[in-house]
Amino acid sequence: MNPFSLAGQVALVTGANTGIGQAIAVAMAQAGAEVIAAGRRDCDETLALTGGGRQMRLDFGDPMAARDVFARERIDILVNNAGIIRRADAVDFTEADWDAVIDVNLKALFFTCQAFARAALPRGRGKIINIASLLSFQGGIRVPSYTASKHGVAGLTRLMANEWASRGLNVNAIAPGYIETNNTQALRDDPERSAAILDRIPARRWGRPEDIGQSAVFLAAPASDYINGAVLNVDGGWLAR
Ligand code: NAP
């Protein structure tokens, strides 16, 4: 058996229509998984790239949206990738921008994990991969609800690993560095911020969505069966500085 293969596994990826989620869906399909590309809009482009699999409408405008998904069918791998960011000075930050980000990035993530675990724990096997951030470790600037949510994702990843590791569920997270997606378009459009960021990355390049896709395959595969509660930095060395 190839310990890096996902053959025979069913993987559900949230926010799979674009960016990091799309790259994870493609990498998992390449590793042999049957992929369910979940999104609040269509995932046709992703399915064209995976060359198979199916899609599911999942909008975390309702943070409990995934409550019934895992009882309906066997899903072996869950990737909680859907996430949003709102930028404003802390002194001006609104309750609406607080609630919107916490609901999608933290509340929906936790209750999707819970729904998955209720189905997977009796089977004694399953993999959860949460998408965290450098702002699970650092404070950032002008993104208070995002920083709070991503610190929360790291903490919850450890909590769920503590409760479920002995019962066959691996719960881990990936902390992407600065990756070329919609999420970072505003930063890349600002020449000063963009140059400052690049200058601080030891690898001297922005990350590509595929960099995260391959790491997710590892955390979904049997090769990582003894990894529990880890937050894997995939950041070109950013946090090492
Ligand atoms: P992105 O291109 O903006 O993708 C975010 C994904 O989340 C999209 O598919 C988006 O759908 C989906 N989403 C947002 N709100 C949703 C909702 N209410 N219900 C369902 N899906 C929703 O950004 P990305 O960079 O690929 O982000 C993916 C994850 O990586 C996020 O959790 C983000 O915080 C994290 N991350 C990114 C970076 C980076 O440098 N790019 C760094 C660290 C962490 P729509 O397309 O419909 O908006």
Side-chain angles (χ1 to χ4, degrees), residues 1-227:
M1 190 194 73
N2 175 356
F4 296 93
S5 168
L6 302 184
Q9 307 290 303
V10 180
L12 185 144
V13 183
T14 69
N17 56 299
T18 185
I20 290 173
Q22 181 176 75
I24 292 173
V26 170
M28 288 194 171
Q30 284 167 349
E34 178 188 339
V35 170
I36 304 173
R40 64 175 164 174
R41 65 185 86 234
D42 80 66
C43 295
D44 296 348
E45 185 184 292
T46 303
L47 290 191
L49 293 168
T50 54
R54 54 208 154 96
Q55 55 184 303
M56 180 186 291
R57 215 36 86 94
L58 211 46
D59 185 340
F60 294 117
D62 170 10
M64 308 299 285
R67 62 170 82 70
D68 299 324
V69 165
F70 305 100
R72 290 200 292 260
E73 60 181 315
R74 196 199 84 215
I75 294 173
D76 308 289
I77 299 160
L78 166 65
V79 182
N80 284 300
N81 164 78
I84 56 173
I85 192 162
R86 298 278 168 89
R87 300 178 196 274
D89 291 343
V91 77
D92 296 324
F93 211 75
T94 65
E95 185 178 4
D97 280 346
W98 179 269
D99 288 344
V101 173
I102 296 292
D103 273 1
V104 176
N105 293 13
L106 194 59
K107 183 173 178 181
L109 177 141
F110 173 71
F111 284 103
T112 302
C113 288
Q114 182 193 66
F116 176 83
R118 285 176 176 169
L121 285 170
R123 291 196 296 266
R125 184 150 190 87
K127 300 266 192 177
I128 296 176
I129 299 147
N130 294 323
I131 303 303
S133 168
L134 296 177
L135 298 189
S136 299
F137 305 102
Q138 300 182 309
I141 186 165
R142 304 188 71 249
V143 287
S145 56
Y146 187 83
T147 298
S149 73
K150 294 297 185 177
H151 271 66
V153 168
L156 283 176
T157 296
R158 297 182 187 110
L159 174 136
M160 294 186 283
N162 291 339
E163 293 200 21
W164 300 334
S166 66
R167 301 172 65 190
L169 256 62
N170 293 80
V171 189
N172 292 294
I174 293 172
Y178 285 88
I179 313 294
E180 293 166 342
T181 68
N182 301 333
N183 178 292
T184 53
Q185 189 68 52
L187 295 177
R188 282 178 291 122
D189 288 346
D190 176 339
E192 258 175 51
R193 283 298 300 282
S194 176
I197 287 166
L198 199 54
D199 188 53
R200 194 192 181 283
I201 301 173
R204 284 288 182 273
R205 68 167 174 88
W206 282 68
R208 294 185 276 267
E210 309 83 79
D211 292 317
I212 309 304
Q214 298 306 336
S215 306
V217 167
F218 169 61
L219 289 178
S224 60
D225 277 355
Y226 198 57
I227 300 184

